[in-house]
Amino acid sequence: MSNTPRNDAAEVRAVVAEISPAATGVVSVRLEPAVGDKMPSWEPGAHVDLVLGPDLERQYSLCGDPADLRSWRIGVLREPESRGGSSHVHDNLVVGDEVRCRGPRNNFSLDDADDYVFIAGGIGITPILPMIGACEAAGKPWRLVYGGRAEDSMAFRSELAAYGDRVTIWPQDTRGLLDLDGLLGTPAPGTEIYCCGPGALLDAVEERCANWPDGALHLERFRPKEGALDGENSAFEVVLDYSDISIMVAPDQTVAEAIEAAGVHIPTSCREGTCGTCETVVLEGEPDHRDSYLTPQEKESNEVMMPCCSRSCSARLVLDL
């Protein structure tokens, strides 16, 4: 295990070049470099952090063409219960505004496989779009089932129409819930499944894939799993091995907050265990994993944890920070 401190992703200054409707309640935002003529390179599944203001930082999947570095594209849904990010993009962001971006980061990368099944729910289509493009370029077989509340709320349908019957548009108001049993009922060795969307969809897909080979299912969550952040909060000690500092984490503090209060920088973004930005190596102790990012196998190994939300089952944790 490395004793090298973790580094933040690069910060990029970008200018809003275009904002256009992508569906009812969804806008497509195109960002161009504020300095130079190229944006940083990225691969399908990557996301960026948009710094929209003080204490207002949100993650959005890149959904354009990775080969076109003249700009980045994101899709932003107006969230009914917005914490400030989506409402800011929809109501305040205008062409010409400069925004700071961090990244790209990729916690949802496209593995090599014989075949692919893509399942998207609502705005979860955004990371899937460049994955489909990559499959097309590589000549890989794939299919997409894309669900949403109603057809007019489902973004980027015109782009998907070019793929013909490999894409199934499934509006809930006319077709009901996705037929996941028909889609996933029989495991197919060599096929990998990529799913992004609301938590209920991801939970249902995860349940249907219990009998699939390990590693076949790939999920990206926008929100924590139901109950993931719950649990008893008690005080415990955290030792930062690289910094040679010992701190106490109070019951009303997260590990990340206690580390920051001690003057040690730790990269964070979502602060709720979904993005993977703060992933930290555990050298000693047993974490109380409350994230929605690590796989069950990764949690069982206790090799890493998410200090933004997870706590400790042991009285002492030693972290590689």
Side-chain angles (χ1 to χ4, degrees):
M1 294 181 180
S2 169
N3 283 325
T4 302
R6 303 172 62 84
N7 294 317
D8 284 301
E11 187 162 291
V12 179
R13 290 171 52 204
V15 173
V16 178
E18 181 182 15
I19 302 178
S20 57
T24 300
V26 180
V27 293
S28 171
V29 180
R30 187 164 58 86
L31 302 168
E32 294 182 347
V35 178
D37 59 359
K38 288 185 178 181
M39 300 293 276
S41 61
W42 59 282
E43 295 182 352
H47 72 270
V48 294
D49 305 337
L50 255 60
V51 183
L52 300 168
D55 299 319
L56 187 58
E57 185 174 324
R58 297 292 182 266
Q59 300 79 45
Y60 298 104
S61 297
L62 292 171
C63 61
D65 180 1
D68 179 11
L69 297 183
R70 294 170 298 177
S71 65
W72 285 344
R73 184 179 70 168
I74 59 172
V76 182
L77 169 70
R78 181 189 286 277
E79 297 279 1
E81 299 178 1
S82 173
R83 296 175 297 154
S86 71
S87 61
H88 180 91
V89 171
H90 279 259
D91 297 333
N92 302 110
L93 207 63
V94 297
V95 171
D97 281 354
E98 184 171 311
V99 294
R100 289 160 48 218
C101 310
R102 296 197 182 103
R105 297 185 178 92
N106 200 338
N107 307 316
F108 193 45
S109 57
L110 186 66
D111 290 348
D112 185 40
D114 297 333
D115 196 359
Y116 297 89
V117 173
F118 297 109
I119 304 171
I123 198 63
I125 190 61
T126 49
I128 301 298
L129 287 173
M131 292 185 176
I132 288 172
C135 288
E136 281 289 282
K140 294 280 190 175
W142 62 271
R143 53 186 163 149
L144 164 68
V145 178
Y146 178 18
R149 294 187 306 277
E151 191 165 315
D152 66 2
S153 72
M154 300 170 69
F156 307 111
R157 295 190 317 280
S158 60
E159 292 181 28
L160 293 168
Y163 297 118
D165 61 7
R166 284 178 293 175
V167 174
T168 301
I169 301 294
W170 198 293
Q172 185 176 342
D173 62 344
T174 59
R175 301 193 64 176
L177 297 176
L178 295 179
D179 180 17
L180 296 179
D181 290 327
L183 186 63
L184 303 172
T186 303
T191 297
E192 299 209 355
I193 303 156
Y194 285 79
C195 180
C196 185
L201 171 63
L202 272 61
D203 291 343
V205 168
E206 196 169 29
E207 180 181 339
R208 300 313 194 284
C209 289
N211 294 326
W212 282 67
D214 289 345
L217 176 62
H218 308 263
L219 302 175
E220 182 165 67
R221 293 183 180 272
F222 294 138
R223 294 285 183 271
K225 294 179 70 170
E226 186 71 27
L229 300 174
D230 297 344
E232 182 180 346
N233 293 350
S234 56
F236 56 93
E237 181 187 13
V238 168
V239 177
L240 309 184
D241 184 71
Y242 181 88
S243 303
D244 195 22
I245 294 175
S246 177
I247 58 177
M248 289 300 298
V249 179
D252 60 349
Q253 273 185 315
T254 66
V255 176
E257 288 170 345
I259 291 171
E260 290 165 342
V264 177
H265 175 66
I266 180 170
T268 62
S269 188
C270 72
R271 297 260 174 174
E272 56 187 12
T274 58
C275 74
T277 300
C278 67
E279 181 177 324
T280 300
V281 171
V282 178
L283 300 177
E284 293 179 30
E286 181 184 354
D288 176 7
H289 296 287
R290 300 187 185 184
D291 67 273
S292 302
Y293 175 78
L294 295 173
T295 66
Q297 295 82 6
E298 288 170 331
K299 289 180 179 181
E300 187 176 355
S301 75
N302 286 329
E303 292 179 355
V304 295
M305 69 175 291
M306 302 298 161
C308 72
C309 65
S310 295
R311 303 188 67 80
S312 182
C313 296
S314 53
R316 182 174 180 266
L317 277 179
V318 181
L319 303 181
D320 186 21
L321 286 170

